[in-house]
Amino acid sequence: MRTQIVAGNWKMNKTFQEADDLVNELVEFIETNKAAHRAMIICPPALYLELATDMARDTELYVGAQNLSQFEKGAYTGEISAPMLASMEVEYSIIGHSERRKYFGENDEMLAAKVRMALKHKIDPIFCCGELLVERESGKHLDVVKSQLDNTVFKLDPVEFGNIMIAYEPVWAIGTGKNATPAQAQEMHAYIRKLISEKFNDQIADNTTILYGGSCNAANAKELFSNPDVDGGLIGGASLIAEDFIKIFQALK
Ligand code: PGA
């Protein structure tokens, strides 16, 4: 069975003390509830990655960044590089979140470079894709997601692609309280898996973890995750409260 995952995207939330408390609660839970083929990842703000990797070391809580630079090092004020993250024991990074695309002008070309940079430094990308509301309403959602993948992770070779996790996040569902229906999620996830199989092969498609993101919470996670091609979730708001995030983890197959 593919690894089933919940990843918490904290975005720009939590003070240091609040971050400390949340990581503590999650470590405590995960250490007493070990589960084969299930994993919990947290992606706190970069400033707290050291705290998180320290507390999560030798536990089954894994730590990811929310973003990384497409450049390796040098005069890029304010940026954080893949080698820096790797040197802090960060194992994953979200890449291409729709908020990065919308507010920080990240385009497919930059995202393809970020993915390559992450892989070069042994950081596994959680690569986000997803359509806008107008694109869904005009029936273009499948084409939009295909093009986002074609221009980025589908340029990798099969071995490289083996390290990619995909997160389907319809932009209209992020932070809106309006999640995709289980049927909408399953349709897109099955489509993405079919694209992976056409681009690479059935085995790679079968092994790829595809997460759903967008207003996934403790109340709707079980129904969303019960779909055969939904392998867990990338969780924003509901990952900020330990009890809710734990319930979502417990909803994994
Ligand atoms: P949300 O965010 O769960 O708050 O909708 C999901 C995401 O942006 O990854």
Side-chain angles (χ1 to χ4, degrees), residues 3-241:
T3 311
Q4 305 289 300
I5 289 176
V6 289
N9 175 10
W10 294 11
K11 308 192 181 183
M12 197 173 72
N13 292 293
K14 300 285 179 195
T15 61
F16 182 77
Q17 190 54 53
E18 289 165 351
D20 188 285
D21 291 346
L22 180 49
V23 180
N24 231 323
E25 285 181 80
L26 297 176
V27 166
E28 212 167 278
F29 166 80
I30 210 78
E31 283 307 277
T32 45
N33 292 273
K34 299 202 175 173
H37 79 258
R38 290 179 179 175
M40 183 186 275
I41 302 173
I42 51 168
C43 302
L47 202 54
Y48 308 143
L49 286 170
E50 184 179 7
L51 167 88
T53 53
D54 268 354
M55 291 170 79
R57 186 172 300 116
D58 300 326
T59 75
E60 290 190 10
L61 179 68
Y62 302 95
V63 179
Q66 296 175 14
N67 177 38
L68 49 73
S69 173
Q70 68 268 44
F71 304 113
E72 197 147 33
K73 66 173 181 173
Y76 301 102
T77 302
E79 287 293 274
I80 294 176
S81 72
M84 290 175 190
L85 294 172
S87 75
M88 304 297 293
E89 302 168 48
V90 173
E91 293 173 272
Y92 298 91
S93 180
I94 299 171
I95 294 180
H97 191 280
S98 67
E99 287 150 17
R100 300 292 320 170
R101 295 178 195 252
K102 178 173 170 193
Y103 300 124
F104 304 98
E106 296 191 359
N107 57 33
D108 287 348
E109 197 185 328
M110 291 161 71
L111 298 178
K114 285 180 186 230
V115 166
R116 288 200 178 279
M117 194 54 78
L119 292 175
K120 180 172 174 193
H121 294 281
K122 308 257 177 300
I123 293 171
D124 290 350
I126 303 172
F127 186 82
C128 301
C129 57
E131 80 286 355
L132 305 170
L133 186 59
V134 295
E135 292 165 337
R136 175 160 286 267
E137 285 176 346
S138 55
K140 295 202 187 96
H141 50 292
L142 299 177
D143 291 345
V144 167
V145 167
K146 178 173 189 301
S147 131
Q148 289 171 340
L149 298 174
D150 278 342
N151 293 335
T152 56
V153 289
F154 283 179
K155 289 187 184 296
L156 299 171
D157 68 36
V159 174
E160 291 169 327
F161 187 84
N163 296 300
I164 302 287
M165 203 185 309
I166 305 283
Y168 167 57
E169 299 207 308
V171 179
W172 47 271
I174 296 177
T176 58
K178 189 176 183 296
N179 61 288
T181 63
Q184 285 171 327
Q186 171 58 25
E187 179 203 33
M188 183 61 86
H189 284 230
Y191 176 68
I192 293 171
R193 204 175 301 286
K194 180 173 88 80
L195 293 177
I196 298 170
S197 147
E198 285 165 6
K199 178 76 205 169
F200 300 105
N201 60 48
D202 283 353
Q203 199 196 339
I204 291 177
D206 204 46
N207 286 340
T208 303
T209 294
I210 307 177
L211 307 180
Y212 168 78
S215 298
C216 180
N217 57 38
N220 61 25
K222 194 146 196 107
E223 207 187 348
L224 284 160
F225 299 169
S226 68
N227 288 289
D229 288 294
V230 179
D231 308 315
L234 178 55
I235 317 298
S239 73
L240 298 173
I241 298 164

